[in-house]
């Protein structure tokens, strides 16, 4: 554990079939007006909306609805939420959905509680918020880990920038995780979430320092658990145990635990975020399309780690092979895993048709200084062209 770190994660997690039973007591801690933040209707289809209304009613809460939060939430949507909070003196926000709803809620929480222009102040510049509207989450789409981290990713359509911030004081007060809520996800969304959590782990695992550390060992265990349970979920989407493993894997992947004493890379996320800013692609699918190309591009700069990954995560045999061959086989197996579960592994499959425009997108990507290889624009262009 070469690098110093601070680990502090105060989000309370209620996990399991009966987790919702804790909501009423949690709500007692806050004022009377609750804002229910959600997406475009899946929470109604699974009966959760009605169940929540009953709980709010029994708890004597006034409810303000903030609905229609879209995948890759926009700055305009955040502004709408901020206005609602201010007009109704909202005391607490309950975000019910996936990463988009949770992230939008965090932006609204910061934006409404502080007298600043939220985009410039919190997203274009790093300013940990002094105040926040307290919030909790109920997870229905698994992958981002937003339920137990301080991250929030927002797209500003006017300037074509999608960017994420991580504020240590913007973690949810509590999160409710019931794997049953995820049964209704389409295969596409489920797979997208699985690729997202795999990427979160890889982007911490494939980063300096590589001295022996328990964070990397935990990462390998999580990746193996995801691969095993992903196949079970594909076979039987209602397998509670497999869904539960996948749900908790996602949380552990990005609640800062496996990032302890690691620098983190995040270049795959940087590139995907800009793809999403130009094309409305599902986040996890974008990551699956970029990752193999990115890792092949940087393989020589972290060769021993890619070899370790191949052997420990994908069981690649070492007989009569060079380190590079072993490492490459690991990346090939990763790509095959993505394909097997039905992920999109090329940009074309994502609906991106303009190969030339990729060179323009490359110029807009943020560059990570902590990657095995710090990217030049030409590197990013090559990665995108090879992912096409
Ligand atoms: O809008 P509804 O009707 O709810 O439908 C949603 C949405 O269309 C649907 N869905 C959610 N739960 C469902 C369901 N459909 C059926 N049954 C259910 N139980 O799923 C669709 C996608 O939802 P979304 O929230 O967009 O997906 P995800 O969780 O992948 O979130 C993606 C966003 O999170 C950001 C991404 O960039 C993207 O904007 N990220 C946030 C991070 C963080 N806060 O730490 C880190 C991630 O790396 C990521 O960047
Ligand atoms: Zn992600």
């Amino acid at each position: 554990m070469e690098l110093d770190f601070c680990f502090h994660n105060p989000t309370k997690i209620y996990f399991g079939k009966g987790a919702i039973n804790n909501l009423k007591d949690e709500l007692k801690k806050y004022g009377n007006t609750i804002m229910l933040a959600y997406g475009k209707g899946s929470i109604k289809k699974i009966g959760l909306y009605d169940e929540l209304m009953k709980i709010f009613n029994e708890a004597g809460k006034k409810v303000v609805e903030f609905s229609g939060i879209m995948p890759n939430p926009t700055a305009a949507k955040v502004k709408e939420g901020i206005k609602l909070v201010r007009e109704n003196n909202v005391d607490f926000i309950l975000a019910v959905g996936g990463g988009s709803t949770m992230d939008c809620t965090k932006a609204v929480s910061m934006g409404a509680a502080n007298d600043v222009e939220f985009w410039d102040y919190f997203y274009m510049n790093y300013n940990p918020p002094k105040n926040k509207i307290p919030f909790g989450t109920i997870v229905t789409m698994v992958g981002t880990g937003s339920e137990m981290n301080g991250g929030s990713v927002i797209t500003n359509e006017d300037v074509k920038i999608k960017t994420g911030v991580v504020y240590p004081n913007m973690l949810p007060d509590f999160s409710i995780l019931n794997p049953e809520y995820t049964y209704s996800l389409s295969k596409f969304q489920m797979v997208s979430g699985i690729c997202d959590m795999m990427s979160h782990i890889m982007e911490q695992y494939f980063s300096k320092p590589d001295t022996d550390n328990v964070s990397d060992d935990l990462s390998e265990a999580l990746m193996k658990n995801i691969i095993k349970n992903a196949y079970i979920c594909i076979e039987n989407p209602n397998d509670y145990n497999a869904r539960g493993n996948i749900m908790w894997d996602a949380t552990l992947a990005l609640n800062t635990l496996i990032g302890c004493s690691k620098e983190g890379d995040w270049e795959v996320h940087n590139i995907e975020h800009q793809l999403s800013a130009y094309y409305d692609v599902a986040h996890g699918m974008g990551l699956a399309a970029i990752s193999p190309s990115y890792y092949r591009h940087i393989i020589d700069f972290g060769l021993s780690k890619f070899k370790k990954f191949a052997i420990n995560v994908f069981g690649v045999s070492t007989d009569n092979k060079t380190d590079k061959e072993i490492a490459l086989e690991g990346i090939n197996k990763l790509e095959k895993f993505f394909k097997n579960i039905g992920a999109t592994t090329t940009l074309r499959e994502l609906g991106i048709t303009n190969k030339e425009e990729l060179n323009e997108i490359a110029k807009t990507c943020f560059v990570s200084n902590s990657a095995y290889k710090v990217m030049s624009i030409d590197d990013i262009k090559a990665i995108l062209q090879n992912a096409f």
Side-chain angles (χ1 to χ4, degrees), residues 196 200 269 283 287:
D196 192 17
H200 294 159
H269 267 69
H283 173 63
L287 298 168

Side-chain angles (χ1 to χ4, degrees), residues 9-15 95 97-103 106 135-152 170-178 182 196-197 200 244-255:
N9 195 319
T11 300
K12 188 187 282 183
I13 298 289
Y14 294 108
F15 188 100
S100 296
T101 295
M102 295 187 268
D103 287 9
K106 290 175 187 175
F135 63 94
T137 82
I138 300 181
V139 182
T140 66
M141 157 76 195
V142 170
T144 65
S146 190
E147 64 275 10
M148 203 180 181
N149 69 39
S152 168
M170 284 309 291
L171 282 90
D173 288 3
F174 66 85
S175 286
I176 290 175
L177 280 66
N178 179 349
T182 67
D196 192 17
M197 62 189 90
H200 294 159
N245 273 313
I246 289 285
M247 191 169 218
W248 192 227
D249 286 333
T251 308
L252 293 173
L254 204 55
N255 71 351

